[in-house]
């Protein structure tokens, strides 16, 4: 094996190992500040890794887990309620059907208090319960405890030593020791009140599963390549518009015929293509600068009611331009200056030739580029990089066409002649812009919680837009630049028939059903609960999972089926997305219903354990984790046995408690989840 391949294999192993570790994306620092006049402030500052966020105390009901900060201790009297410090963000969650409120990068929690008796010291105990998420997973809710002793000047320590000793002695019997999450394994000492045999199950060895099939592949940068492809397709479509297509033979001929040295002409043409690509990529640079100045500006844009309405109006404006009612152009002075700069000749002249092409074609490319911008800004967390890939794909489509035609100029004869078909391309794009505009109006409606644009109304409007497109393609309606007697080509007829098929597909979404429909449009349509016919399902897609692993074991033994452990949470957005968009698929749901025993273990279940089952875990650095609820118990169970604390997290286990294949985490494509399920189920059926 070559050194390069070994190197890549090592990198892959390191990446996989890193993914298996306990995630700890937030660090806390606890201090007590003296304010004077017998007033103090207990301050807990949180620092988060990039991409992660922590929910606010003001989180609306039925969404995530709101942060709770409680300060207590003997000789302490609280002053008011605790306050949050930091830049608060609000974002509509389609999975929850409501707005989530959170902090990213950093957050602070402050609670004022005073001493009941200023002549005596006090032990300040701060407890925080919180949840952190990124765009793929949510971590189990966590409860940490911090301690700090304060001794005012002149205070006596009488009667305090014995009290502290009692607390210490008590902690020795109730505090379990847990290794640092960065280390390989988590262990629980015998000091825990929880029975270790009910937490650490030796047979649950996820590092050595019974089979190695079905591991979901890690797709790094999947969205980047998607946007590169979208940009490339957009670039190819833009080449077919009246602003660009007639310029292809003129430009290529200039390089191949206008230069006596044909080899140099081809080199110049390839350089011309490179500069086109370079200029389009250059257009994304300002967005990187904006993101660097205000890291969350694109997230704020994506959740802003008024900016989404503005995008809706802009897309309507784009549609009007494509329909031919007006043109969107840059000031002519810009094109004139760029064209004049072409006289410099050489590489500089070629660069300005490419720049002139980009400028003069803006009336056709502007709306397409605007669509890519709108899609990236309102649909992702890493806008600048996605725009770079999208614009690179757009420019690459142009560069490759101009470059290849310069190398093989005889191919120019195969290009179709300019004509009315180019206007047809523009008009079709106009209908597409109308349909996309509705997405932004829907986002504004959801964020504002007006819920006027229901799922069914959205579908009806799309049906009307598609019918309008069909009527245009068959020549029944016309637009300003269409021929008076247009020839209906075979291509237009085929597209018209496809449009009819799409209308039939959309109409399915208007029929009430217990199962989600129109899955291909799941990221565009309003969520399922914003509907005239919405009705809560009994259970998850009609299923009734076990919520206790040990009960699931008993059921699995009776039914002779493997167990699918689903580490989930009531406030886990990505868990809801998996259930709605992946579990509900017709080739996934039957497996969950018939071939496995589903054990959904909620790591944020607030029902308290019995006093005998409650415990504490010493995380080190003065952090104490309380385990007092069912959710805490399953969270600890997940960490102890699978060295993971993210949700959703899926594990297939035999009735005798053996891991069948490698567990998978986070929101994933249907194909990966199906591969994971079928691997484990088929292995069990063959070997049970």
């Amino acid at each position: 094996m070559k050194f390069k391949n070994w190197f890549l294999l090592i990198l892959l192993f390191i990446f996989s190992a890193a993914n298996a570790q306990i995630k700890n994306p937030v660090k806390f620092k606890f201090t007590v500040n003296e304010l004077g006049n017998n007033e103090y402030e207990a301050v807990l500052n949180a620092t988060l890794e990039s991409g992660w966020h922590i929910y606010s105390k003001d989180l609306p009901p039925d969404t995530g887990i709101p942060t709770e900060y409680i300060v207590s201790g003997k000789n302490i009297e609280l002053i008011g309620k605790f306050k949050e410090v930091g830049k608060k963000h609000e974002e509509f969650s389609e999975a929850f059907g409501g707005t989530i409120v959170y902090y990213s990068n950093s957050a602070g929690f402050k609670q004022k208090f005073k001493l009941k008796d200023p002549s005596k010291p006090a032990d300040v105990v701060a407890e925080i319960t919180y949840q952190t998420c990124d765009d793929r997973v949510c971590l189990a809710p966590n409860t940490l405890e911090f301690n700090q002793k304060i001794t005012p000047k002149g205070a006596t320590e009488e009667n305090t030593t014995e009290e502290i000793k009692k607390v210490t002695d008590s902690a020795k019997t109730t505090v379990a020791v847990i290794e640092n999450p960065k280390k390989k394994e988590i262990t629980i000492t015998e000091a825990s009140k929880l029975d270790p045999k009910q937490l650490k199950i030796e047979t649950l060895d996820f590092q050595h599963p019974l089979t190695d099939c079905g591991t979901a592949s890690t797709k790094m940068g999947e969205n980047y390549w998607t946007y590169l492809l979208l940009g490339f397709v957009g670039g190819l479509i833009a080449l077919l518009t009246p602003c660009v297509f007639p310029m292809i033979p003129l430009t290529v001929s200039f390089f191949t015929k206008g230069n006596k040295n044909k080899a140099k002409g081809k080199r110049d043409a390839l350089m011309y293509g490179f500069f086109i690509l370079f200029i389009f990529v250059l257009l994304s640079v300002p967005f990187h600068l904006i993101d660097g100045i205000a890291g969350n500006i694109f997230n704020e844009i994506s959740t802003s009611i008024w900016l989404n309405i503005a995008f809706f109006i802009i897309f309507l404006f784009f549609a009007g331009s494509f329909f031919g009612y007006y043109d969107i152009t840059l000031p002519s002075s810009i094109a004139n200056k760029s064209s004049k700069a072409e006289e410099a000749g050489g590489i500089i002249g070629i660069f300005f030739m490419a720049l002139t092409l980009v400028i003069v074609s803006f009336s056709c490319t502007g709306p397409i580029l605007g669509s890519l911008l709108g899609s990236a800004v309102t649909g992702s967390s890493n806008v600048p990089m996605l725009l770079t890939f999208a614009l690179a794909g757009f420019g690459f489509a142009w560069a490759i066409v101009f470059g290849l035609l310069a190398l093989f100029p005889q191919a120019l004869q195969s290009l179709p002649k300019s004509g009315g078909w180019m206007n047809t391309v523009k008009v079709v794009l106009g209908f597409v812009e109308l349909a996309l505009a509705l997405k932004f109006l829907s986002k504004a409606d959801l964020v504002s919680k007006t819920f006027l644009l229901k799922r069914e109304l959205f579908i009806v409007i799309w049906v009307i837009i598609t019918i309008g497109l069909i009527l245009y393609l068959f020549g029944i309606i016309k637009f300003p630049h269409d021929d008076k007697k247009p020839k209906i080509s075979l291509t237009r007829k085929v597209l018209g028939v496809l449009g009819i098929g799409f209308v039939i597909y959309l109409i399915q979404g208007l029929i009430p059903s217990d199962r989600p429909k129109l899955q291909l449009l799941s990221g565009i349509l309003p969520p399922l609960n914003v509907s005239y016919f919405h009705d809560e399902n009994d259970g998850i897609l009609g299923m009734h999972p076990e919520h206790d692993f040990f009960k699931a074991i008993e059921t699995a033994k009776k039914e002779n089926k493997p167990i699918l452990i689903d580490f989930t949470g009531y406030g886990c957005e990505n868990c809801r997305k998996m259930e709605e968009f992946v579990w509900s698929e017709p080739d996934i749901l039957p497996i969950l219903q018939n071939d496995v025993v589903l054990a959904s273990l909620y790591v944020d279940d607030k029902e308290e354990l019995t006093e005998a089952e409650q415990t504490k875990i010493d995380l080190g650095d003065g952090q104490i984790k309380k385990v007092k609820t069912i959710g805490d118990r399953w969270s600890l169970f997940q960490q102890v046995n699978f060295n993971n604390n993210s949700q959703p997290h899926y594990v297939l286990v035999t009735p005798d408690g053996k891991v069948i294949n490698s567990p998978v985490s986070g929101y994933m494509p249907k194909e990966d989840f199906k591969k994971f399920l079928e691997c484990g189920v088929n292995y069990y059926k063959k070997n049970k």
Side-chain angles (χ1 to χ4, degrees), residues 199-262:
L199 285 175
K200 178 61 178 176
I201 300 177
E202 297 300 331
T203 57
L204 291 176
D205 186 0
F206 74 96
Q207 294 181 330
H208 301 91
L210 298 177
T211 180
D212 59 358
C213 68
T215 303
S217 59
T218 302
K219 298 184 178 180
M220 301 177 62
E222 180 179 2
N223 284 340
Y224 295 155
W225 299 116
T226 299
Y227 271 80
L228 182 72
L229 178 61
L230 287 174
F232 185 79
V233 173
L236 292 178
I237 293 174
L239 286 170
L240 302 177
T241 59
C243 315
V244 185
F245 190 80
M247 301 182 69
I248 295 176
L250 293 175
T251 305
V252 173
S253 297
F254 172 82
F255 287 109
T256 56
K257 296 181 180 180
N259 198 315
K260 294 181 180 180
N261 187 335
K262 291 186 177 181

Side-chain angles (χ1 to χ4, degrees), residues 298-316:
F298 294 111
N299 179 66
E300 294 172 8
I301 289 174
S302 70
T303 57
S304 167
I305 298 172
W306 298 112
L307 285 174
N308 273 281
I309 292 176
F311 270 117
F312 168 70
I313 296 172
I314 290 171
F315 269 57
L316 293 181

Side-chain angles (χ1 to χ4, degrees), residues 14-38:
I14 293 173
F15 181 80
S16 302
N19 278 348
Q21 297 300 308
I22 298 292
K23 296 180 177 64
N24 187 25
V26 57
K27 303 294 183 184
F28 289 101
K29 182 179 181 181
F30 179 62
T31 57
V32 177
N33 302 324
E34 185 175 358
L35 303 178
N37 297 322
N38 190 35

Side-chain angles (χ1 to χ4, degrees), residues 152-169:
K153 292 181 179 179
T156 61
E157 297 193 12
E158 295 179 3
N159 301 324
T160 59
T161 305
E162 187 65 27
E163 291 177 1
I164 294 173
K165 184 176 184 301
K166 288 180 180 179
V167 172
T168 305
D169 290 341

Side-chain angles (χ1 to χ4, degrees), residues 489-500:
S489 65
L490 178 62
T491 302
R492 287 182 65 157
K493 292 177 182 178
V494 171
L495 290 176
V497 171
L498 291 176
I500 294 173

Side-chain angles (χ1 to χ4, degrees), residues 277-287 355 358 369 387 391:
L277 171 61
F278 176 73
I279 289 168
F280 276 112
V281 172
L282 208 60
L283 292 176
S284 69
V285 172
F287 296 96
L355 182 61
V358 174
L369 293 175
L387 282 175
L391 289 169

